[in-house]
Amino acid sequence: VATFRVLESLPRSAQVVIVGGGIVGAATAFFARRAGLSPLIIEARPALSTLTTPASTGAFRLQFDNPEEIALVREGIELFASFAEITGLAGLDIGMRVQGYLFCTTTESGAVRQREWVRAQHEWGVHDVEILSGDEARYRFPHISRDVVQARFRAGDGFLKPKRVALGLAAASRAGICLETLVTGFEVSGGVVKTVHTNRGSISCEHVVDAAGPFSGKLAAMAGLDIDVRPRRRMKLTMPDVPEVPAHAPMTIDEETVAHWRPGMNGAYALFTDPSTPVADPEWNVRPDSQFAFDLLSPASERSLARISPFWAELAERGEPDWLLHAGQYEYTADHRPMLGPSAIPNFHLNCGYSGHGIMGSPGGARVVVDQIVGRLKPRDNPFDPNRAMVERPFDIL
Ligand SMILES: Cc1cc2nc3c(=O)[nH]c(=O)nc-3n(C[C@H](O)[C@H](O)[C@H](O)COP(=O)(O)OP(=O)(O)OC[C@H]3O[C@@H](n4cnc5c(N)ncnc54)[C@H](O)[C@@H]3O)c2cc1C
């Protein structure tokens, strides 16, 4: 259903040059077209959406700890829920499964913290987050361990196929797309970007959007900008065939260890976010580490999935399921919120720094960037203004 306008040769000029053909670049192109602009996507690799976007778990949630990110992701969920209608791509199935996010705690202090969070979320308008006692959680979700004392749950959270969304947005944007085209520099004169240089030639432009994911800092540096984006490796364990996984289970998260899993394919995807992972250079091929799989699957591991979902221990006893690993990089900002809008160069716009939330955040984020390009939104009214004062944020759980 999703067909793109791949260009054989590089155009000489373009109104909005979007660097990066992942989900963020595709969403930018989609909202740019809706705002009456003419977008061009430049992608270094031979195909769209092949770096970070397909490494993700494709999950979305409104269970955040601040109202701004809730509002941003809410826009995305609204788009996902009516994707085929809004994009005009009749019949396109983005694999959306609204099965909820279940955060489980095994400690009393965790239970207190959960209740505080949920109270705040209700105040911010997310009224449908529930607190479940351990027994209520087990009644609804029999895979939950007896050690879970409480859970918070929102039935409207869920997951989808991120690559389908990205390709759908790129197609619906009717953007020209240049593949195997590496942006190598910019001509900045009179304080604005005039030209984008690539390995295939140069393009003069009115606006540039940096949607280069983990490479966004490097790309900005080519224009002389110093932005604080810190790539860190994140991995995903895929177990494609595990019949024991309850297919209708929610994203199931251990609040204490940050290990989490969700049904996917005929099995599950499992992850955890290790705060000790060092900041690294951006990479075109991110190599996974098999220790990640053992940490999640071994019942003896402190990050074992079996801590809150005991069926994983039974599986491990019979020999671990077949698995494979995928790796990508989160691009963290200091406050773990994206940078959306004009940089110190007014026509060089940032759409990056999603800090691990770029699937769910990309529609709202792209809309915010485009609204600033067309003057519908002022940086002072934008909580994600790249020039904001950032407060260093400790690692939250996902
Ligand atoms: C293991 C893992 C799990 C995740 N799970 C989730 C989740 O459940 N939910 C969620 O919301 N988010 C999740 N994320 C985060 C999400 O995947 C990212 O935030 C999102 O994919 C970022 O999209 P992007 O388009 O910015 O980056 P990318 O997909 O990396 O796209 C950037 C593109 O820019 C191109 N590029 C870079 N430099 C240049 C250049 N100089 N010239 C031309 N092209 C260039 C690259 O080739 C690449 O295709 C996860 C991430 C990982 C790694």
Side-chain angles (χ1 to χ4, degrees), residues 280-305:
D281 286 335
E283 288 179 49
W284 295 109
N285 294 295
V286 191
R287 287 174 57 162
D289 175 352
S290 51
Q291 187 59 41
F292 181 79
F294 302 127
D295 282 347
L296 286 168
L297 292 172
S298 163
S301 153
E302 57 186 30
R303 283 158 177 160
S304 169
L305 298 175

PDB file of all heavy atoms in Angstrom, residues 280-305:
ATOM      1  N   ALA A 280      28.314   6.777  23.658  1.00  0.00           N
ATOM      2  CA  ALA A 280      29.211   6.305  22.590  1.00  0.00           C
ATOM      3  C   ALA A 280      29.093   7.220  21.382  1.00  0.00           C
ATOM      4  O   ALA A 280      28.196   8.064  21.307  1.00  0.00           O
ATOM      5  CB  ALA A 280      28.822   4.885  22.193  1.00  0.00           C
ATOM      6  N   ASP A 281      29.988   7.008  20.431  1.00  0.00           N
ATOM      7  CA  ASP A 281      29.825   7.690  19.145  1.00  0.00           C
ATOM      8  C   ASP A 281      28.636   7.071  18.427  1.00  0.00           C
ATOM      9  O   ASP A 281      28.321   5.895  18.642  1.00  0.00           O
ATOM     10  CB  ASP A 281      31.080   7.502  18.284  1.00  0.00           C
ATOM     11  CG  ASP A 281      32.234   8.357  18.788  1.00  0.00           C
ATOM     12  OD1 ASP A 281      31.952   9.387  19.436  1.00  0.00           O
ATOM     13  OD2 ASP A 281      33.387   7.972  18.561  1.00  0.00           O
ATOM     14  N   PRO A 282      27.987   7.832  17.542  1.00  0.00           N
ATOM     15  CA  PRO A 282      26.921   7.209  16.748  1.00  0.00           C
ATOM     16  C   PRO A 282      27.501   6.126  15.840  1.00  0.00           C
ATOM     17  O   PRO A 282      28.635   6.250  15.383  1.00  0.00           O
ATOM     18  CB  PRO A 282      26.348   8.367  15.934  1.00  0.00           C
ATOM     19  CG  PRO A 282      27.391   9.430  15.948  1.00  0.00           C
ATOM     20  CD  PRO A 282      28.188   9.247  17.198  1.00  0.00           C
ATOM     21  N   GLU A 283      26.718   5.080  15.600  1.00  0.00           N
ATOM     22  CA  GLU A 283      27.229   3.954  14.805  1.00  0.00           C
ATOM     23  C   GLU A 283      26.235   3.554  13.726  1.00  0.00           C
ATOM     24  O   GLU A 283      25.020   3.555  13.963  1.00  0.00           O
ATOM     25  CB  GLU A 283      27.454   2.743  15.715  1.00  0.00           C
ATOM     26  CG  GLU A 283      28.642   2.889  16.646  1.00  0.00           C
ATOM     27  CD  GLU A 283      28.779   1.664  17.539  1.00  0.00           C
ATOM     28  OE1 GLU A 283      28.742   0.537  17.018  1.00  0.00           O
ATOM     29  OE2 GLU A 283      28.877   1.864  18.761  1.00  0.00           O
ATOM     30  N   TRP A 284      26.779   3.140  12.574  1.00  0.00           N
ATOM     31  CA  TRP A 284      25.932   2.645  11.482  1.00  0.00           C
ATOM     32  C   TRP A 284      25.545   1.187  11.705  1.00  0.00           C
ATOM     33  O   TRP A 284      24.527   0.727  11.203  1.00  0.00           O
ATOM     34  CB  TRP A 284      26.648   2.779  10.136  1.00  0.00           C
ATOM     35  CG  TRP A 284      26.908   4.201   9.751  1.00  0.00           C
ATOM     36  CD1 TRP A 284      28.108   4.823   9.723  1.00  0.00           C
ATOM     37  CD2 TRP A 284      25.934   5.188   9.359  1.00  0.00           C
ATOM     38  NE1 TRP A 284      27.947   6.136   9.333  1.00  0.00           N
ATOM     39  CE2 TRP A 284      26.634   6.388   9.097  1.00  0.00           C
ATOM     40  CE3 TRP A 284      24.547   5.173   9.200  1.00  0.00           C
ATOM     41  CZ2 TRP A 284      25.995   7.555   8.685  1.00  0.00           C
ATOM     42  CZ3 TRP A 284      23.914   6.339   8.793  1.00  0.00           C
ATOM     43  CH2 TRP A 284      24.631   7.507   8.541  1.00  0.00           C
ATOM     44  N   ASN A 285      26.369   0.450  12.424  1.00  0.00           N
ATOM     45  CA  ASN A 285      26.069  -0.959  12.726  1.00  0.00           C
ATOM     46  C   ASN A 285      26.303  -1.179  14.211  1.00  0.00           C
ATOM     47  O   ASN A 285      27.451  -1.268  14.646  1.00  0.00           O
ATOM     48  CB  ASN A 285      26.993  -1.887  11.929  1.00  0.00           C
ATOM     49  CG  ASN A 285      26.717  -1.781  10.448  1.00  0.00           C
ATOM     50  OD1 ASN A 285      25.640  -2.148   9.993  1.00  0.00           O
ATOM     51  ND2 ASN A 285      27.670  -1.262   9.701  1.00  0.00           N
ATOM     52  N   VAL A 286      25.240  -1.230  14.967  1.00  0.00           N
ATOM     53  CA  VAL A 286      25.382  -1.335  16.416  1.00  0.00           C
ATOM     54  C   VAL A 286      25.398  -2.821  16.773  1.00  0.00           C
ATOM     55  O   VAL A 286      24.452  -3.552  16.460  1.00  0.00           O
ATOM     56  CB  VAL A 286      24.214  -0.626  17.138  1.00  0.00           C
ATOM     57  CG1 VAL A 286      24.513  -0.512  18.628  1.00  0.00           C
ATOM     58  CG2 VAL A 286      23.976   0.755  16.534  1.00  0.00           C
ATOM     59  N   ARG A 287      26.478  -3.247  17.413  1.00  0.00           N
ATOM     60  CA  ARG A 287      26.618  -4.688  17.692  1.00  0.00           C
ATOM     61  C   ARG A 287      26.015  -5.051  19.035  1.00  0.00           C
ATOM     62  O   ARG A 287      26.339  -4.445  20.052  1.00  0.00           O
ATOM     63  CB  ARG A 287      28.096  -5.063  17.701  1.00  0.00           C
ATOM     64  CG  ARG A 287      28.669  -5.071  16.296  1.00  0.00           C
ATOM     65  CD  ARG A 287      30.135  -5.296  16.328  1.00  0.00           C
ATOM     66  NE  ARG A 287      30.448  -6.542  17.029  1.00  0.00           N
ATOM     67  CZ  ARG A 287      31.609  -7.155  16.914  1.00  0.00           C
ATOM     68  NH1 ARG A 287      32.540  -6.672  16.172  1.00  0.00           N
ATOM     69  NH2 ARG A 287      31.824  -8.269  17.572  1.00  0.00           N
ATOM     70  N   PRO A 288      25.132  -6.062  19.056  1.00  0.00           N
ATOM     71  CA  PRO A 288      24.571  -6.487  20.335  1.00  0.00           C
ATOM     72  C   PRO A 288      25.544  -7.354  21.127  1.00  0.00           C
ATOM     73  O   PRO A 288      26.571  -7.787  20.599  1.00  0.00           O
ATOM     74  CB  PRO A 288      23.335  -7.289  19.926  1.00  0.00           C
ATOM     75  CG  PRO A 288      23.603  -7.746  18.536  1.00  0.00           C
ATOM     76  CD  PRO A 288      24.590  -6.801  17.917  1.00  0.00           C
ATOM     77  N   ASP A 289      25.207  -7.611  22.368  1.00  0.00           N
ATOM     78  CA  ASP A 289      26.049  -8.404  23.269  1.00  0.00           C
ATOM     79  C   ASP A 289      25.166  -9.504  23.860  1.00  0.00           C
ATOM     80  O   ASP A 289      24.151  -9.221  24.503  1.00  0.00           O
ATOM     81  CB  ASP A 289      26.569  -7.453  24.361  1.00  0.00           C
ATOM     82  CG  ASP A 289      27.367  -8.177  25.433  1.00  0.00           C
ATOM     83  OD1 ASP A 289      27.391  -9.426  25.423  1.00  0.00           O
ATOM     84  OD2 ASP A 289      27.941  -7.481  26.292  1.00  0.00           O
ATOM     85  N   SER A 290      25.577 -10.759  23.673  1.00  0.00           N
ATOM     86  CA  SER A 290      24.695 -11.863  24.082  1.00  0.00           C
ATOM     87  C   SER A 290      24.467 -11.922  25.596  1.00  0.00           C
ATOM     88  O   SER A 290      23.488 -12.512  26.061  1.00  0.00           O
ATOM     89  CB  SER A 290      25.225 -13.197  23.562  1.00  0.00           C
ATOM     90  OG  SER A 290      26.572 -13.331  23.905  1.00  0.00           O
ATOM     91  N   GLN A 291      25.330 -11.269  26.376  1.00  0.00           N
ATOM     92  CA  GLN A 291      25.107 -11.249  27.828  1.00  0.00           C
ATOM     93  C   GLN A 291      23.724 -10.651  28.158  1.00  0.00           C
ATOM     94  O   GLN A 291      23.091 -11.020  29.153  1.00  0.00           O
ATOM     95  CB  GLN A 291      26.222 -10.436  28.510  1.00  0.00           C
ATOM     96  CG  GLN A 291      26.200 -10.487  30.028  1.00  0.00           C
ATOM     97  CD  GLN A 291      26.339 -11.910  30.564  1.00  0.00           C
ATOM     98  OE1 GLN A 291      27.135 -12.695  30.055  1.00  0.00           O
ATOM     99  NE2 GLN A 291      25.534 -12.261  31.561  1.00  0.00           N
ATOM    100  N   PHE A 292      23.292  -9.748  27.301  1.00  0.00           N
ATOM    101  CA  PHE A 292      21.978  -9.111  27.490  1.00  0.00           C
ATOM    102  C   PHE A 292      20.869 -10.172  27.550  1.00  0.00           C
ATOM    103  O   PHE A 292      19.972 -10.112  28.399  1.00  0.00           O
ATOM    104  CB  PHE A 292      21.743  -8.164  26.312  1.00  0.00           C
ATOM    105  CG  PHE A 292      20.443  -7.412  26.348  1.00  0.00           C
ATOM    106  CD1 PHE A 292      20.301  -6.294  27.150  1.00  0.00           C
ATOM    107  CD2 PHE A 292      19.376  -7.802  25.561  1.00  0.00           C
ATOM    108  CE1 PHE A 292      19.101  -5.580  27.167  1.00  0.00           C
ATOM    109  CE2 PHE A 292      18.177  -7.103  25.575  1.00  0.00           C
ATOM    110  CZ  PHE A 292      18.045  -5.984  26.382  1.00  0.00           C
ATOM    111  N   ALA A 293      20.949 -11.164  26.665  1.00  0.00           N
ATOM    112  CA  ALA A 293      19.927 -12.221  26.644  1.00  0.00           C
ATOM    113  C   ALA A 293      20.004 -13.067  27.909  1.00  0.00           C
ATOM    114  O   ALA A 293      18.978 -13.383  28.525  1.00  0.00           O
ATOM    115  CB  ALA A 293      20.119 -13.092  25.405  1.00  0.00           C
ATOM    116  N   PHE A 294      21.232 -13.415  28.310  1.00  0.00           N
ATOM    117  CA  PHE A 294      21.360 -14.250  29.516  1.00  0.00           C
ATOM    118  C   PHE A 294      20.850 -13.501  30.741  1.00  0.00           C
ATOM    119  O   PHE A 294      20.215 -14.076  31.621  1.00  0.00           O
ATOM    120  CB  PHE A 294      22.819 -14.685  29.698  1.00  0.00           C
ATOM    121  CG  PHE A 294      23.346 -15.448  28.506  1.00  0.00           C
ATOM    122  CD1 PHE A 294      24.515 -15.065  27.877  1.00  0.00           C
ATOM    123  CD2 PHE A 294      22.635 -16.526  27.988  1.00  0.00           C
ATOM    124  CE1 PHE A 294      24.979 -15.754  26.757  1.00  0.00           C
ATOM    125  CE2 PHE A 294      23.098 -17.222  26.871  1.00  0.00           C
ATOM    126  CZ  PHE A 294      24.266 -16.839  26.258  1.00  0.00           C
ATOM    127  N   ASP A 295      21.117 -12.200  30.806  1.00  0.00           N
ATOM    128  CA  ASP A 295      20.657 -11.411  31.954  1.00  0.00           C
ATOM    129  C   ASP A 295      19.137 -11.424  32.074  1.00  0.00           C
ATOM    130  O   ASP A 295      18.590 -11.389  33.176  1.00  0.00           O
ATOM    131  CB  ASP A 295      21.125  -9.958  31.837  1.00  0.00           C
ATOM    132  CG  ASP A 295      22.587  -9.799  32.212  1.00  0.00           C
ATOM    133  OD1 ASP A 295      23.154 -10.732  32.789  1.00  0.00           O
ATOM    134  OD2 ASP A 295      23.160  -8.726  31.900  1.00  0.00           O
ATOM    135  N   LEU A 296      18.460 -11.439  30.947  1.00  0.00           N
ATOM    136  CA  LEU A 296      16.991 -11.421  30.990  1.00  0.00           C
ATOM    137  C   LEU A 296      16.407 -12.815  31.212  1.00  0.00           C
ATOM    138  O   LEU A 296      15.388 -12.972  31.891  1.00  0.00           O
ATOM    139  CB  LEU A 296      16.434 -10.848  29.691  1.00  0.00           C
ATOM    140  CG  LEU A 296      16.577  -9.330  29.535  1.00  0.00           C
ATOM    141  CD1 LEU A 296      16.261  -8.901  28.106  1.00  0.00           C
ATOM    142  CD2 LEU A 296      15.644  -8.604  30.511  1.00  0.00           C
ATOM    143  N   LEU A 297      17.058 -13.839  30.668  1.00  0.00           N
ATOM    144  CA  LEU A 297      16.432 -15.166  30.659  1.00  0.00           C
ATOM    145  C   LEU A 297      16.852 -16.052  31.832  1.00  0.00           C
ATOM    146  O   LEU A 297      16.087 -16.936  32.236  1.00  0.00           O
ATOM    147  CB  LEU A 297      16.743 -15.873  29.331  1.00  0.00           C
ATOM    148  CG  LEU A 297      16.059 -15.229  28.123  1.00  0.00           C
ATOM    149  CD1 LEU A 297      16.553 -15.849  26.823  1.00  0.00           C
ATOM    150  CD2 LEU A 297      14.539 -15.367  28.221  1.00  0.00           C
ATOM    151  N   SER A 298      18.042 -15.840  32.360  1.00  0.00           N
ATOM    152  CA  SER A 298      18.480 -16.726  33.442  1.00  0.00           C
ATOM    153  C   SER A 298      17.705 -16.412  34.723  1.00  0.00           C
ATOM    154  O   SER A 298      17.713 -15.281  35.205  1.00  0.00           O
ATOM    155  CB  SER A 298      19.973 -16.527  33.687  1.00  0.00           C
ATOM    156  OG  SER A 298      20.297 -17.056  34.944  1.00  0.00           O
ATOM    157  N   PRO A 299      17.042 -17.419  35.323  1.00  0.00           N
ATOM    158  CA  PRO A 299      16.270 -17.150  36.552  1.00  0.00           C
ATOM    159  C   PRO A 299      17.151 -16.649  37.690  1.00  0.00           C
ATOM    160  O   PRO A 299      16.670 -15.980  38.595  1.00  0.00           O
ATOM    161  CB  PRO A 299      15.653 -18.516  36.890  1.00  0.00           C
ATOM    162  CG  PRO A 299      15.688 -19.298  35.620  1.00  0.00           C
ATOM    163  CD  PRO A 299      16.889 -18.800  34.864  1.00  0.00           C
ATOM    164  N   ALA A 300      18.456 -16.950  37.621  1.00  0.00           N
ATOM    165  CA  ALA A 300      19.352 -16.525  38.710  1.00  0.00           C
ATOM    166  C   ALA A 300      19.763 -15.059  38.572  1.00  0.00           C
ATOM    167  O   ALA A 300      20.281 -14.463  39.514  1.00  0.00           O
ATOM    168  CB  ALA A 300      20.599 -17.409  38.706  1.00  0.00           C
ATOM    169  N   SER A 301      19.522 -14.482  37.416  1.00  0.00           N
ATOM    170  CA  SER A 301      19.968 -13.102  37.180  1.00  0.00           C
ATOM    171  C   SER A 301      19.089 -12.117  37.950  1.00  0.00           C
ATOM    172  O   SER A 301      17.884 -12.309  38.095  1.00  0.00           O
ATOM    173  CB  SER A 301      19.885 -12.813  35.676  1.00  0.00           C
ATOM    174  OG  SER A 301      19.683 -11.446  35.442  1.00  0.00           O
ATOM    175  N   GLU A 302      19.709 -11.023  38.411  1.00  0.00           N
ATOM    176  CA  GLU A 302      18.886 -10.039  39.146  1.00  0.00           C
ATOM    177  C   GLU A 302      17.912  -9.308  38.224  1.00  0.00           C
ATOM    178  O   GLU A 302      16.996  -8.657  38.687  1.00  0.00           O
ATOM    179  CB  GLU A 302      19.782  -9.062  39.917  1.00  0.00           C
ATOM    180  CG  GLU A 302      20.761  -8.314  39.073  1.00  0.00           C
ATOM    181  CD  GLU A 302      21.733  -7.475  39.904  1.00  0.00           C
ATOM    182  OE1 GLU A 302      22.030  -7.886  41.057  1.00  0.00           O
ATOM    183  OE2 GLU A 302      22.185  -6.435  39.393  1.00  0.00           O
ATOM    184  N   ARG A 303      18.147  -9.413  36.898  1.00  0.00           N
ATOM    185  CA  ARG A 303      17.226  -8.768  35.947  1.00  0.00           C
ATOM    186  C   ARG A 303      16.311  -9.771  35.274  1.00  0.00           C
ATOM    187  O   ARG A 303      15.727  -9.480  34.232  1.00  0.00           O
ATOM    188  CB  ARG A 303      18.017  -8.054  34.868  1.00  0.00           C
ATOM    189  CG  ARG A 303      18.584  -6.760  35.337  1.00  0.00           C
ATOM    190  CD  ARG A 303      19.748  -6.382  34.468  1.00  0.00           C
ATOM    191  NE  ARG A 303      20.252  -5.095  34.884  1.00  0.00           N
ATOM    192  CZ  ARG A 303      21.459  -4.657  34.598  1.00  0.00           C
ATOM    193  NH1 ARG A 303      22.270  -5.413  33.887  1.00  0.00           N
ATOM    194  NH2 ARG A 303      21.857  -3.481  35.006  1.00  0.00           N
ATOM    195  N   SER A 304      16.209 -10.941  35.839  1.00  0.00           N
ATOM    196  CA  SER A 304      15.441 -12.005  35.195  1.00  0.00           C
ATOM    197  C   SER A 304      13.982 -11.583  34.954  1.00  0.00           C
ATOM    198  O   SER A 304      13.327 -11.021  35.837  1.00  0.00           O
ATOM    199  CB  SER A 304      15.480 -13.224  36.102  1.00  0.00           C
ATOM    200  OG  SER A 304      14.553 -14.162  35.651  1.00  0.00           O
ATOM    201  N   LEU A 305      13.493 -11.905  33.769  1.00  0.00           N
ATOM    202  CA  LEU A 305      12.072 -11.663  33.480  1.00  0.00           C
ATOM    203  C   LEU A 305      11.194 -12.466  34.424  1.00  0.00           C
ATOM    204  O   LEU A 305      10.046 -12.107  34.696  1.00  0.00           O
ATOM    205  CB  LEU A 305      11.751 -12.073  32.040  1.00  0.00           C
ATOM    206  CG  LEU A 305      12.468 -11.335  30.909  1.00  0.00           C
ATOM    207  CD1 LEU A 305      12.108 -11.965  29.566  1.00  0.00           C
ATOM    208  CD2 LEU A 305      12.105  -9.848  30.909  1.00  0.00           C
TER     209      LEU A 305
END
